[in-house]
Amino acid sequence: MSRKSILKPLMLSTVLGMSAMSLSGCGYNNLQAQDEQVTAAWSEVVNQYQRRDDLVPNLVKVVKQYADQEQEVFTQVAAARSRAGSIQLTPEALNDPQAMENYQAAQAEMTGALSRLMAVSERYPELKSDKLFQDLQAQLEGTENRITVARNRYIQEVQSYNTTVRQFPTNITAKVFGMDTKPNFTVENETQISTAPDVDFGE
């Protein structure tokens, strides 16, 4: 075996090793890891919103048994559910601030519609005492809490990722590889981050 044929793989190995060290040193691996964490956190947000969406038909069905005349509320819930279901925010679309804003607006509309649906129970004592309705109330309350936890985790992951993207020297690496800051959930105050939306369950 010639000396040239021996040196060639050694040189290739050295170049690859130096490239890996360079990427690691410039924060590339960290950026990729944090990007994956953001994606995973977002998947959990979507999962919990889907869990809530799946409860809606059963909630409407049991409420209708006692309050069929509340057609306006049922129409609002159906419209809100349709709009929320029509907006599918993929991990790739998370970099689009307008898409994030539209998704938040649709989910907020769903929260408001559910609040009005649950408030109906205050006018119908028999509905409030229905065992299935009580079970669905508990499931909805638990789901709203899970949504809050998932959103909070996502907010934290995006903040961490965005900080890395903007810090020197990783900001140079991020720019080279086209990794921009991601839009986050917007909240009016810190309480909204840590508190589930009020769905008015009554006493």
Side-chain angles (χ1 to χ4, degrees):
M1 184 179 292
S2 68
R3 182 178 178 186
K4 188 175 182 180
S5 62
I6 294 174
L7 290 176
K8 198 169 184 180
L10 287 174
M11 289 174 63
L12 179 60
S13 176
T14 302
V15 169
L16 290 174
M18 290 177 65
S19 297
M21 290 176 63
S22 176
L23 286 174
S24 177
C26 68
Y28 177 82
N29 290 341
N30 191 35
L31 281 166
Q32 292 297 323
Q34 289 184 328
D35 187 53
E36 287 298 320
Q37 288 169 347
V38 169
T39 299
W42 178 251
S43 294
E44 184 59 19
V45 171
V46 172
N47 179 50
Q48 295 306 328
Y49 274 129
Q50 183 61 53
R51 178 188 175 96
R52 181 175 73 171
D53 184 73
D54 291 343
L55 285 172
V56 173
N58 289 331
L59 270 169
V60 170
K61 185 177 180 180
V62 71
V63 172
K64 275 187 173 182
Q65 291 177 4
Y66 296 91
D68 191 48
Q69 64 270 35
E70 302 287 347
Q71 288 302 318
E72 183 179 355
V73 175
F74 300 141
T75 300
Q76 291 172 347
V77 171
R81 185 170 185 255
S82 177
R83 180 162 186 262
S86 69
I87 302 176
Q88 302 297 321
L89 202 57
T90 63
E92 293 74 26
L94 290 177
N95 296 321
D96 183 351
Q98 186 59 55
M100 175 63 82
E101 185 178 329
N102 293 342
Y103 187 86
Q104 288 185 84
Q107 295 301 335
E109 184 181 337
M110 185 76 255
T111 298
L114 280 172
S115 294
R116 290 187 288 276
L117 179 67
M118 301 309 292
V120 166
S121 67
E122 294 300 311
R123 299 193 289 272
Y124 302 92
E126 291 183 359
L127 171 59
K128 288 181 66 175
S129 63
D130 184 280
K131 182 64 167 62
L132 178 57
F133 181 72
Q134 291 173 353
D135 289 345
L136 290 168
Q137 274 187 322
Q139 289 183 55
L140 180 59
E141 184 176 30
T143 300
E144 292 290 0
N145 287 332
R146 290 185 182 94
I147 288 171
T148 299
V149 171
R151 278 175 52 116
N152 190 34
R153 184 188 167 210
Y154 179 77
I155 288 168
Q156 293 171 350
E157 294 292 356
V158 171
Q159 286 175 338
S160 178
Y161 171 85
N162 286 349
T163 298
T164 303
V165 166
R166 297 176 66 182
Q167 282 181 331
F168 180 83
T170 49
N171 63 332
I172 298 173
T173 304
K175 183 171 287 190
V176 169
F177 289 95
M179 303 177 76
D180 298 320
T181 57
K182 298 178 184 294
N184 212 334
F185 278 110
T186 56
V187 290
E188 293 180 4
N189 54 59
E190 290 185 7
T191 303
Q192 288 180 296
I193 295 177
S194 57
T195 305
D198 181 11
V199 291
D200 196 5
F201 293 119
E203 297 294 326

